[in-house]
Amino acid sequence: MKSKAKEWRPRAALAGVVAVCMTATVLAVSGAGADTAGMKFVQTGHLIYNSTLGTVFHVDGATKNVDGQVSVPGLAPGTQAVQTDTKGFVLARGSITEFGKSDLKVEDPRPAPSDEKPVLLEAAGAAFAIYRQAGAISRMNDNPVTLSIGPGLGQPVATKSGTLWVHRTTAGQICQLPVQADRLSCGAQLTSGHGGALTVVGDQVMFVDTTARELRTVGADGFGPPVPINGVSVTPDSIIAPYDVNGRIAILDPGKNELNLVDPAPVRGDRKPADPVVRKVPQGKYSQIASSGKGVAMIDSSTDTLVTIDSNGKTTPHKIKPPSAGARVPKDQKPDLFRGADSRLYVDSTAGERVMVVDDDGEVTEVETGKESKKPGKESTPESKPTTPPPSTPPPNPPSTQPTRSEPTRTNQPARTNGPDENENKPKRPPRTEPPRTMEPPEATKPTSKPPTTKPTPIKASRAGAPPGLKASETDGAVTLSWRRPNLNGGKLVRYSISQGGDSVSATSPKYTWSGLTNETSYTFRVRAITRGTDGKLLTGVPSTVTATPKGNGRVWITYDGPVSKYGDEYTDSNCPEDTDAEDCGYIMVHASGLEPNTSYHFRAYASEWGELHTENGGGYDIETDDDGNIQQKKFHNSAVGQRIYVTATGPGGPYRSASITWPNG
């Protein structure tokens, strides 16, 4: 598809819009005094796709007006749109369509890394689509990149410089993608089994550990020291706002219907923390929360209600209008809450017919984005046409010239070959004086066209059977699943659904590799066939189940090498706790083979309950391989009795991770 749309209207040409945006926005590269070569500006406003009209509209968040549009027809309901300072991107399920904001040239769509609905982010000079279940990232800017990093991504955030940060939930890593980088850098490792979410305070990335109820800064070199979150309710079900509210972290407790605003001063250590602020919110089912910097907005998905809380704590509900009759709306689609690069919040209606703009002061303005499709439908309805012509006195012959505007123009139509108007008037000629009979000829022909009723009714499809022959092959940090096509029971195969631990991905062939897993950890996988029944509805098949445990890659491993005293070290609390038996406090012996010869690798050690060991001086040790690429050295004295211990190594060809052993017996 290549659209020849030449409009970005109605109020301003897009080139003018871009020019205005560029003069009105802020440079967001590295602050005042930055090198402006190749500078990128924060884009203002918001793009939304009206699925009924097949058109992308640009809403100016400042003026609350639609100031541009471009036609991108043929995309399915639920399509989203995002922008950079020079381009727009329209994201349908499984495709990405790009257009220029100055020349309005719409490119052919290209495949997306997944057919799931992505999370969209905008930053200075870049836009991102994050496919959380599939574990894929698409960056859209002058240095585009698509990465597939394994399933299971948490809430993404972006800093002012355009750096994307993501939480790899299955691997327990926090990773960053700088604006010009083409690969992720994962410098922070979470304790196994811990969950939480990323947030940005000012321009500092932080991680809220909802398992340990702790807050930590995150940087290129890893985590800062953990600080307990006191005085508020934090649970694994807590929802964290991706950006701060007046310098505080917004944590929603859905169970108590409370919004907690937490002062992060302790983790930065710059001042004494203020007491947390607790705001009650209306009872509801909240799944989305966003901050404009001064206010908060949440969506109650049970009632399609937008709830705003301004800087003074005033809570206001706003009902989100349902789609108009005839609008194209995807099944189970809910309104989307989006934070633009201009820090305003935008709520997209399900069909893209309107946008609710949320300002910093909590004021909400609704902006219509195109008219509903009721008028075209009414004008083309055959039943409405017979009531408009004159009832009984049409001229016997078509008049060649007639000055009047009403009656002659209607009587001219039967004599012309104008398609639908001619066909609609033909049935009325014999019984012109009896309008009710004009509907009888079509009805009379219906019995002659009803033979299909004599055909047997199609057998209704049932859900597919369990995929047979499900097998799992374990490798380093990954499990490859394979199976055979199941009995579809009258349905048509759409895809396979593979799920594990609350995460789900899709595949079109009977094989899938689930990567980003923790070695020596048991995982249960379920595979189902998704089919389309004879009535067009999707059916979820019976699952097949298999359990597998990924294993270390064999290049790095560890052993217990006896107590500290074996090496003549002084047995004190400087290396082992005083209440620990001498036999339990020993060294981890680090082994490696097949690495780069005479090369330094950075090793870190972890315990299943304590997290990273030996975090002093930045954490870990640099160990150099010998001439054959091997390592055997004692490091990391440890007394984590009964805990699972493992080490990681970063360097050429890595990262590597050892299999876990139970301390001290292996």
Side-chain angles (χ1 to χ4, degrees), residues 128-160:
F128 301 92
I130 298 90
Y131 300 84
R132 294 180 58 180
Q133 293 183 0
I137 298 170
S138 181
R139 182 181 63 207
M140 297 159 281
N141 64 351
D142 55 6
N143 182 33
V145 66
T146 297
L147 302 174
S148 181
I149 58 176
L153 297 180
Q155 172 175 279
V157 296
T159 58
K160 293 177 182 178

Side-chain angles (χ1 to χ4, degrees), residues 16-56:
V17 174
V18 173
V20 171
C21 292
M22 293 181 73
T23 57
T25 52
V26 223
L27 181 64
V29 181
S30 57
D35 180 3
T36 57
M39 65 185 181
K40 298 299 178 183
F41 290 86
V42 172
Q43 55 274 15
T44 62
H46 178 59
L47 296 181
I48 183 172
Y49 183 76
N50 186 311
S51 57
T52 305
L53 302 180
T55 300
V56 177

Side-chain angles (χ1 to χ4, degrees), residues 122-392:
E122 292 177 354
F128 301 92
I130 298 90
Y131 300 84
R132 294 180 58 180
Q133 293 183 0
I137 298 170
S138 181
R139 182 181 63 207
M140 297 159 281
N141 64 351
D142 55 6
N143 182 33
V145 66
T146 297
L147 302 174
S148 181
I149 58 176
L153 297 180
Q155 172 175 279
V157 296
T159 58
K160 293 177 182 178
S161 65
T163 296
L164 176 73
W165 291 81
V166 294
H167 171 205
R168 297 185 64 195
T169 56
T170 52
Q173 294 176 324
I174 307 298
C175 308
Q176 64 167 324
L177 180 66
V179 70
Q180 292 299 327
D182 59 2
R183 64 184 62 187
L184 286 177
S185 173
C186 304
Q189 179 74 47
L190 281 169
T191 302
S192 177
H194 282 221
L198 290 166
T199 187
V200 179
V201 179
D203 206 34
Q204 172 65 60
V205 180
M206 298 186 181
F207 185 78
V208 179
D209 188 328
T210 56
T211 304
R213 294 168 46 92
E214 294 175 341
L215 179 64
R216 310 177 79 170
T217 58
V218 188
D221 296 330
F223 284 121
V227 174
I229 302 175
N230 297 319
V232 299
S233 174
V234 179
T235 72
D237 295 327
S238 296
I239 303 173
I240 317 299
Y243 300 92
D244 71 276
V245 185
N246 289 313
R248 291 174 176 260
I249 299 172
I251 304 176
L252 176 65
D253 184 342
K256 294 183 177 180
N257 292 298
E258 289 181 350
L259 180 69
N260 302 290
L261 301 177
V262 177
D263 186 357
V267 77
R268 295 183 300 194
D270 53 0
R271 58 179 171 80
K272 183 179 179 180
D275 292 335
V277 175
V278 180
R279 307 287 191 196
K280 294 296 292 184
V281 299
Q283 185 173 357
K285 183 179 180 181
Y286 296 99
S287 57
Q288 300 180 66
I289 180 173
S291 164
S292 63
K294 294 182 180 179
V296 178
M298 301 170 288
I299 291 183
D300 177 2
S301 59
S302 64
T303 60
D304 283 346
T305 300
L306 169 68
V307 177
T308 59
I309 303 178
D310 65 18
S311 57
N312 296 319
K314 181 182 178 182
T315 302
T316 308
H318 309 265
K319 186 65 179 176
I320 302 172
K321 290 183 180 179
S324 62
R328 299 183 67 206
V329 183
K331 183 180 180 182
D332 299 329
Q333 175 78 6
K334 290 293 184 180
D336 285 325
L337 177 58
F338 181 83
R339 174 185 162 113
D342 57 2
S343 296
R344 285 188 176 86
L345 304 181
Y346 300 89
V347 180
D348 294 352
S349 66
T350 52
E353 298 173 311
R354 59 187 61 86
V355 176
M356 300 171 76
V357 184
V358 185
D359 283 321
D360 273 347
D361 58 3
E363 181 179 353
V364 177
T365 305
E366 187 176 279
V367 182
E368 295 288 336
T369 50
K371 300 297 182 182
E372 296 89 348
S373 58
K374 291 180 179 179
K375 290 184 179 179
K378 287 183 178 180
E379 290 171 358
S380 62
T381 302
E383 289 80 2
S384 63
K385 291 278 185 179
T387 62
T388 57
S392 59

Side-chain angles (χ1 to χ4, degrees), residues 458-483:
I459 299 174
K460 186 176 181 180
S462 59
R463 65 175 184 159
L470 178 60
K471 296 180 180 179
S473 175
E474 301 104 336
T475 55
D476 177 38
V479 171
T480 297
L481 305 168
S482 61
W483 60 92

Side-chain angles (χ1 to χ4, degrees), residues 64-96:
K64 314 299 187 294
N65 289 323
V66 174
D67 58 10
Q69 69 182 64
V70 62
S71 176
V72 188
L75 301 181
T79 294
Q80 304 167 277
V82 71
Q83 63 178 335
T84 65
D85 47 351
T86 60
K87 296 180 179 180
F89 301 87
V90 190
L91 294 98
R93 295 294 180 101
S95 72
I96 301 175

Side-chain angles (χ1 to χ4, degrees), residues 386 423-432 434-449:
N423 293 334
E424 289 169 7
N425 284 311
K426 277 184 177 180
K428 296 186 296 181
R429 289 181 178 176
R432 290 184 184 275
E434 299 181 33
R437 293 185 180 179
T438 61
M439 301 303 294
E440 291 178 6
E443 292 177 0
T445 61
K446 286 181 180 178
T448 63
S449 62

